[in-house]
Amino acid sequence: MESLISLVNRIQRACTALGDYGEESALPTLWDSLPSIAVVGGQSSGKSSVLESVVGKDFLPRGSGIVTRRPLVLQLHRIDEGREYAEFLHLPRKKFTDFALVRKEIQDETDRETGRSKQISSVPIHLSIYSPNVVNLTLIDLPGLTKVAVEGQPDSIVADIENMVRSFIEKPNCIILAISPANQDLATSDAIKIAREVDPKGERTFGVLTKIDLMDKGTDAVEILEGKAYRLQYPWFGVVNRSQADINKNVDMIAARRREREYFASSPDYKHLAHRMGSEYLGKMLSKHLETVIKSRIPGLQSLVSKTIAELEAELTRLGKPVATDAGGKLYMIMEICRGFDQIYKEHLDGVRPGGDKIYNVFDNQLPAALKRLQFDKQLSMENVKKLITEADGYQPHLIAPEQGYRRLIESSLVSIRGPAEASVDAVHSILKELVSKAIRETVELRQYPSLRVEVGNAAIESLERMREESRKATLKLVDMECSYLTVDFFRKLPQDVEKGGNPTHSIFDRYNDSYLRRIGTNVLAYVNMVSSSLRNSIPKSIVYCQVREAKRSLLDHFFTEIGKKEAKELSNLLNEDPAIMERRVALTKRLELYRNAQTEIDSVAWSK
């Protein structure tokens, strides 16, 4: 089971290294899910002495006022043999064998984070101690609770410390080690007061009484230690700290532990409790309890880690890849993003995504409706036919058939098809532009680069404008070709007069009678309808060939050519993204690394053991 505490130790170190201190933020926190033991006590409660006694070494800063100004994550590792040493997370691969230097480094590292202003910080210091005289255990030493700010500290320091302590111990996975001096009324204990607030039933709280040997004569702490004065779910622990004289004389901690055992064993008041008193027993019980809690939390921790990894990966995918550093990488990145956009655009046209069907609606509904609205039969009214036939004859009436009149009637009708043809070109262009906007919105990578998004949009619209112009020319040419050359076979198949030249007994002016003009109008209308029907089929072909096909084939070709000529600085400008997104991606990447490390650590432990 020792591997369980080591597991949490490793994950805690990873949390600190990657910026997870359990503070409230927009990022998921793993720290808060890890079982831990937080040491809470007021100033001068003997908190530091308890920790040093558990470790068996002098290593904590001492002095007046608030000495502990940052959480100290103290990870104890039992080794079978060898020299005791300490390591700090912020000084990897540096071993401290002189514990006086450990004390100095704690002070220096605190000052590096907080300055010498006596401020506090929630960023923890990680200290690992390897010794044959410790049990496997992790304790978090928190700043001592105080009631008055000292010189050089803001008035808010009292509330700041209390809020920091509360932020650690209110977590359901935190075991509270409440340190109270026995020579003071327990009702005034800062540690018990704040522990009661967050753990009113005492389900997570271990009570520790210090300075038992300093109680007034005639008084004792038996009722407290037996759990009668203040009941907790777990038994109270009593410890006897070294005196200030012992500290000044550098009395050996091992000898101090021996004297502590002797005190409880020889005391008439406490000898019936001696088997569960003292700092050694405290360390063993905390280690055993921590292992039990960790084991019970493992399944939930595994589930949380897996779920959070999936969520972090999903958000990083939405945010997109980080920008390459070199010009070649930037160019490749831009090209890849543009290809992604181009593929999405094609999918809209091909029906994989919605939108392309609107183009078919132009050909199947809008164009036929526009041709129908031209009302060729009204254009070929008797009055209009007579007018154009007469005008076409000029000063000399036609002798056989009014060919010029036919041509003018046909051309005047066919030329009106230019309007619906051009409108169809514009309608398809509008749809293609709309699909550009839609494809840009759906290209995830373009969301993070506003400059590139604008450039790609502008380049696509410019290409569509060129395609529209080519399509307009080609489509109107189809109409103009019908106007410029009439299909002779159509007229050859028309019924002729009884006498091929007409009836010679009639006057030439008889050719302008209503029957004759009506027949001309009917013939012209039939021809115009035939051509209109043909154009109804050929205009869509022209538009698809010049616009839709080209949009699929070469929408960004010109942009690709231009982008290849840009300098590195210009490419960088295109890939400028919102600084908030960049910061978020970096933070998410670090947090994802933390959770993946944790998953590896958890999976490496054989729970069956």
Coordinates of all heavy atoms in Angstrom, one line a residue, residues 94-95 135 139 182 187 313:
K94 N 18.9 18.5 -6.8 CA 19.8 19.0 -5.7 C 19.4 18.4 -4.4 O 18.3 18.6 -3.9 CB 19.8 20.5 -5.6 CG 20.7 21.1 -4.6 CD 20.7 22.6 -4.6 CE 21.7 23.1 -3.6 NZ 21.7 24.6 -3.6
K95 N 20.3 17.6 -3.8 CA 20.0 17.0 -2.5 C 20.6 17.8 -1.3 O 21.7 18.2 -1.3 CB 20.6 15.6 -2.5 CG 20.0 14.6 -3.5 CD 20.5 13.2 -3.3 CE 19.8 12.2 -4.3 NZ 20.3 10.8 -4.1
V135 N 7.6 7.7 8.4 CA 6.7 6.9 7.7 C 6.3 7.6 6.4 O 6.5 8.8 6.2 CB 5.4 6.7 8.5 CG1 5.7 5.8 9.8 CG2 4.8 8.0 8.9
L139 N 2.0 15.8 4.3 CA 1.3 16.8 5.1 C 1.4 18.1 4.4 O 2.5 18.4 3.8 CB 1.9 16.9 6.5 CG 1.9 15.6 7.3 CD1 2.9 15.7 8.5 CD2 0.5 15.3 7.8
A182 N -2.5 22.6 24.7 CA -3.3 22.1 25.9 C -3.3 23.1 27.0 O -4.2 23.0 27.9 CB -2.7 20.8 26.4
A187 N -11.9 25.9 23.9 CA -13.0 26.7 23.3 C -12.4 27.9 22.5 O -13.1 28.4 21.6 CB -14.0 27.2 24.3
E313 N -9.1 17.6 -24.3 CA -8.8 17.3 -25.7 C -9.8 17.9 -26.6 O -9.5 18.4 -27.7 CB -8.7 15.8 -25.9 CG -7.4 15.1 -25.3 CD -7.4 13.6 -25.4 OE1 -8.5 13.0 -25.6 OE2 -6.3 13.1 -25.3

